[in-house]
Amino acid sequence: MEISANSTTEHFKLYTQLELYEFQDKFVIRSPESPTDGFSISRFDGNIEKLNGDISFGNPSKVSTIYGVAGTIRLLAGSHILLITSRKEVGNYLGFPVFLVMSMKFLSCNEEASRHLTRQEKRDEAYFMNLLRMVESTPGLYYSYETDITVNLQRRCNLAKGWMSKPVWKQADPRFVWNKNLLEELIENKLDGFIVPLLQGNILKFFSPTPIPSSPPSPHPPFKTGHLKLKESPATIALISRRCTRRMGTRMWRRGANLEGDTANFIETEQLLEFEGFRSSFLQIRGSIPLLWEQIVDLSYKPRLNIINHEETPKVVERHFHDLVKRYGDVTAVDLTNKHGDEGLLSAAYATEIQKLSSVRYVSFDFHHHCGGSNFDNIQLLYDQISEDFEKKGYFLIDTEEKILLEQRGVVRSNCIDCLDRTNVTQSYLARKSLDSQLQRLGALSSNESISMFTEDFEIFKTMWVDQGDEISLEYSGTHALKRDLVRYGKQTMTGLIQDGMSAVSRYFLNNFQDGIRQDAVDLTSGRYNVNRGSPSPFQKHGFDSLSYLPVASALLIGGLTVTTITINQAGRSTNTMLSSALCAGVVAGIMALVKSNGRQICSRPRLCGLL
């Protein structure tokens, strides 16, 4: 931990590399830069103690290098500490290096307590440990040792002087700290130099053009590079998406809003431009429709949407938008859902509630109706509806001396059903409109020019948004985004349709057979579910595991299909075999109907927390 100078301001800096010493009775974590600064955690009860200058702790059984401490969690048998074991530098944010977590590992600190668990507690603990192993492979976690990356540029510039000298965890926006719950014990022990707030989302940085020969090379290589032939001076475009932790979860098990007005898959996306010393920022947000609704998996390809009738629904919508207006200013809510079927009913209910709010403008745009069949250019129809509001909201701009020239006065909130595919296409279009305006203001483009007129540069921009959509989709649904070719090429291609089909099949499998357990892992580490030895087992409360039905159903179907196939092949030999074939086919059809009617019991479902 140190306070470093950067330009004219001081900033807090975390230890960038740590040593992990493993002893029979404890783990010791310290910094090679400052060997007397560190802490130990008991392997018997998880108790944390500062080193306080003590560096004489004998001969360890193993010494290894780690790159951060992501937090601790207490289960039935005791504590576990989460360590960052590998990382990758992926660029920089406002001049500070940014890293992507490549691997994490939980170390158990519970050797004593684990011996005293009951049989049921041991079964529960085994399930919890399986969840922790899933958490170790959580995708899209970013951090910086030298600055917070959860706060957007406009808010940073409006914070009080000296803000960056605070510990990094105190600088962070708690909405976007993925491991907020896991950091509590480290914060209580005042281990500021070791506390790494993690952002789940996406950070992409594109450097364009290649610096002129007299310019020194950047010490922090960007994610991708491209040559922008607009001016001799280099420009940088960065895209940062920040996932909110208030209603985290998987695609089918976290829909809509909770009673506090927090929505599923809520993401703040910031597009940053640096050009000739000027910096600009453009914010957009996305989030699930802020009603109480669900879409429970039942083996159907597209399960029915169900709006939950609740007396608090008007308050939920009001709380959601009150929070947005307070944070971002004027809000234009763009609803991209279909206007027929279940989506239509949900959209109509949303429109009814939101139109009661005078502070929010609601715009309905049936994306599939207007832009289906490769008619992506029709998204201009949406822009025509909101262009006046969009231009008034503007963007944030500071000059070379960090003097504020413009502030963004509002935000567009986009949604479809998943807030993934249609939303990403729409946000990329609005981001391009804003980028054109910024480049024109800075003199990089004339008033009648657009970045879309420069083929190579436009390709960089589109690739950035495609990659961003993919990573956000992987975090929420477990698969790549759909409609990627609409962003990249402005139309759907045969290759894109095939890729969409493969992703759709993958989503179906994950939603039905894995996401329940993934949701439990999220609820456990986010603190939504708290492990308590005094509470009844969540597995006794919820009955049989849904996975126990799956092998039986699979065996019946496979066995029935096998017997039916054999008898059909022999059907021509006698009347009896024909009757047997018909009987087997009937039995298989009956089994399939039985399995489908009990789909909710067969599918993987979360067992720790309810939907709201």
Side-chain angles (χ1 to χ4, degrees):
M1 173 187 68
E2 62 182 77
I3 302 293
S4 301
N6 182 272
S7 301
T8 59
T9 60
E10 292 183 335
H11 69 276
F12 189 97
K13 185 178 179 182
L14 298 171
Y15 295 123
T16 58
Q17 189 168 300
L18 302 172
E19 292 175 339
L20 170 66
Y21 296 82
E22 299 184 30
F23 298 92
Q24 188 173 358
D25 61 335
K26 63 186 174 183
F27 297 109
V28 173
I29 295 173
R30 69 175 189 177
S31 167
E33 306 167 36
S34 179
T36 58
D37 198 1
F39 65 96
S40 66
I41 180 166
S42 170
R43 298 183 74 162
F44 297 107
D45 59 12
N47 185 49
I48 293 177
E49 292 183 359
K50 280 188 172 183
L51 294 184
N52 292 322
D54 181 16
I55 59 173
S56 57
F57 21 74
N59 296 318
S61 59
K62 183 180 178 181
V63 180
S64 52
T65 299
I66 60 173
Y67 300 97
V69 181
T72 63
I73 188 170
R74 289 188 178 269
L75 303 181
L76 294 171
S79 286
H80 304 263
I81 185 167
L82 180 60
L83 307 175
I84 299 172
T85 53
S86 66
R87 68 189 181 188
K88 177 183 179 182
E89 187 175 345
V90 293
N92 66 82
Y93 176 61
L94 304 177
F96 300 105
V98 173
F99 297 85
L100 171 66
V101 174
M102 301 302 292
S103 65
M104 300 186 292
K105 185 174 180 60
F106 276 103
L107 295 181
S108 299
C109 310
N110 54 16
E111 293 183 9
E112 186 66 30
S114 60
R115 303 170 188 169
H116 306 292
L117 298 180
T118 66
R119 181 178 297 179
Q120 180 62 47
E121 287 174 337
K122 287 180 179 177
R123 286 199 292 265
D124 294 353
E125 186 78 355
Y127 183 75
F128 293 143
M129 289 301 299
N130 183 48
L131 299 183
L132 294 189
R133 284 189 286 273
M134 296 185 73
V135 171
E136 290 174 346
S137 57
T138 301
L141 298 178
Y142 296 85
Y143 67 98
S144 174
Y145 295 107
E146 299 185 50
T147 191
D148 165 68
I149 58 175
T150 65
V151 176
N152 61 64
L153 181 62
Q154 180 164 322
R155 188 178 166 200
R156 287 172 73 100
C157 291
N158 285 312
L159 288 170
K161 189 176 180 180
W163 166 73
M164 288 187 64
S165 64
K166 294 180 179 180
V168 175
W169 71 268
K170 287 186 178 180
Q171 301 175 26
D173 185 335
R175 294 181 301 157
F176 302 124
V177 179
W178 173 83
N179 55 334
K180 175 175 171 283
N181 179 66
L182 301 178
L183 295 177
E184 289 180 357
E185 194 169 6
L186 300 178
I187 292 171
E188 288 174 9
N189 284 276
K190 297 180 170 57
L191 297 169
D192 293 342
F194 299 88
I195 298 173
V196 181
L198 298 174
L199 166 73
Q200 187 179 40
N202 175 265
I203 297 180
L204 295 176
K205 195 174 184 79
F206 293 82
F207 185 82
S208 52
T210 304
I212 54 178
S214 59
S215 303
S218 171
H220 309 302
F223 224 49
K224 292 192 176 183
T225 59
H227 188 69
L228 188 63
K229 299 174 182 176
L230 300 175
K231 285 209 170 200
E232 293 297 323
S233 301
T236 303
I237 302 173
L239 190 62
I240 303 171
S241 291
R242 305 175 175 101
R243 180 180 298 279
C244 184
T245 62
R246 289 179 176 174
R247 189 159 167 75
M248 273 203 307
T250 58
R251 176 174 173 250
M252 288 299 189
W253 293 109
R254 283 298 172 267
R255 294 293 210 188
N258 58 21
L259 293 174
E260 289 72 39
D262 306 313
T263 60
N265 204 26
F266 183 89
I267 296 171
E268 175 190 278
T269 298
E270 180 177 23
Q271 182 174 276
L272 289 163
L273 171 68
E274 297 181 38
F275 183 79
E276 294 188 340
F278 288 79
R279 283 177 175 165
S280 61
S281 161
F282 172 64
L283 288 177
Q284 297 186 79
I285 54 176
R286 68 177 77 189
S288 190
I289 290 178
L291 301 177
L292 306 178
W293 60 282
E294 61 185 11
Q295 191 176 18
I296 306 299
V297 290
D298 59 0
L299 297 181
S300 300
Y301 175 71
K302 195 172 184 179
R304 295 295 304 271
L305 301 175
N306 176 44
I307 302 172
I308 300 172
N309 292 319
H310 198 287
E311 61 183 7
E312 285 286 300
T313 293
K315 288 291 185 184
V316 167
V317 179
E318 183 180 343
R319 288 170 191 142
H320 177 73
F321 283 101
H322 175 75
D323 181 64
L324 296 187
V325 170
K326 184 173 68 174
R327 293 179 184 278
Y328 299 104
D330 293 337
V331 177
T332 299
V334 174
D335 180 12
L336 302 167
T337 55
N338 299 340
K339 297 301 168 272
H340 59 271
D342 285 354
E343 284 194 24
L345 295 175
L346 183 61
S347 177
Y350 180 32
T352 299
E353 294 298 336
I354 197 173
Q355 286 169 0
K356 298 174 185 177
L357 306 177
S358 59
S359 58
V360 179
R361 182 190 174 195
Y362 172 77
V363 177
S364 177
F365 182 79
D366 187 333
F367 185 94
H368 285 151
H369 173 73
H370 291 291
C371 300
S374 297
N375 295 316
F376 176 64
D377 289 343
N378 285 346
I379 201 168
Q380 178 69 37
L381 299 174
L382 168 63
Y383 186 74
D384 291 341
Q385 292 184 62
I386 67 171
S387 59
E388 187 175 345
D389 282 349
F390 181 78
E391 290 166 11
K392 284 181 181 178
K393 289 176 175 54
Y395 51 86
F396 180 72
L397 178 65
I398 56 176
D399 63 15
T400 56
E401 297 177 354
E402 299 192 354
K403 179 184 176 182
I404 297 175
L405 303 178
L406 295 172
E407 291 198 76
Q408 186 169 340
R409 296 182 295 275
V411 71
V412 176
R413 181 201 190 277
S414 303
N415 74 268
C416 46
I417 291 298
D418 297 329
C419 301
L420 294 176
D421 313 316
R422 287 172 280 183
T423 298
N424 205 60
V425 173
T426 302
Q427 286 198 338
S428 69
Y429 185 83
L430 297 179
R432 171 159 61 95
K433 289 290 188 180
S434 181
L435 181 61
D436 285 343
S437 179
Q438 294 165 46
L439 290 171
Q440 289 167 6
R441 165 72 186 248
L442 296 173
L445 295 177
S446 66
S447 60
N448 61 350
E449 287 181 321
S450 166
I451 192 172
S452 60
M453 299 168 65
F454 301 86
T455 304
E456 186 177 341
D457 312 321
F458 192 37
E459 185 64 30
I460 291 172
F461 174 84
K462 292 185 292 184
T463 300
M464 175 174 66
W465 273 92
V466 169
D467 290 347
Q468 184 252 188
D470 271 346
E471 191 156 353
I472 286 176
S473 181
L474 283 167
E475 292 161 9
Y476 186 52
S477 71
T479 73
H480 289 294
L482 309 183
K483 299 179 174 65
R484 303 160 78 231
D485 47 349
L486 277 183
V487 178
R488 181 163 280 166
Y489 306 116
K491 62 180 180 179
Q492 284 203 301
T493 63
M494 182 56 66
T495 301
L497 287 171
I498 293 171
Q499 290 174 339
D500 285 357
M502 294 172 64
S503 293
V505 171
S506 297
R507 281 187 186 180
Y508 174 83
F509 176 80
L510 292 171
N511 296 162
N512 283 279
F513 303 118
Q514 289 191 8
D515 279 358
I517 298 174
R518 288 177 60 217
Q519 184 62 53
D520 279 345
V522 172
D523 289 336
L524 179 65
T525 52
S526 67
R528 194 160 181 269
Y529 178 83
N530 292 308
V531 177
N532 190 337
R533 288 195 70 179
S535 301
S537 167
F539 314 113
Q540 290 178 330
K541 180 171 62 178
H542 292 143
F544 291 106
D545 182 1
S546 59
L547 292 179
S548 64
Y549 292 100
L550 186 58
V552 176
S554 300
L556 288 173
L557 280 174
I558 293 171
L561 288 170
T562 301
V563 172
T564 302
T565 302
I566 293 172
T567 55
I568 287 175
N569 288 335
Q570 298 177 347
R573 300 180 183 179
S574 67
T575 304
N576 288 338
T577 53
M578 291 180 66
L579 291 173
S580 297
S581 298
L583 179 62
C584 288
V587 169
V588 170
I591 292 173
M592 292 178 69
L594 182 64
V595 168
K596 178 64 177 69
S597 64
N598 290 276
R600 290 195 176 191
Q601 284 69 44
I602 292 172
C603 291
S604 170
R605 64 186 186 275
R607 296 183 287 169
L608 300 184
C609 297
L611 290 175
L612 297 180

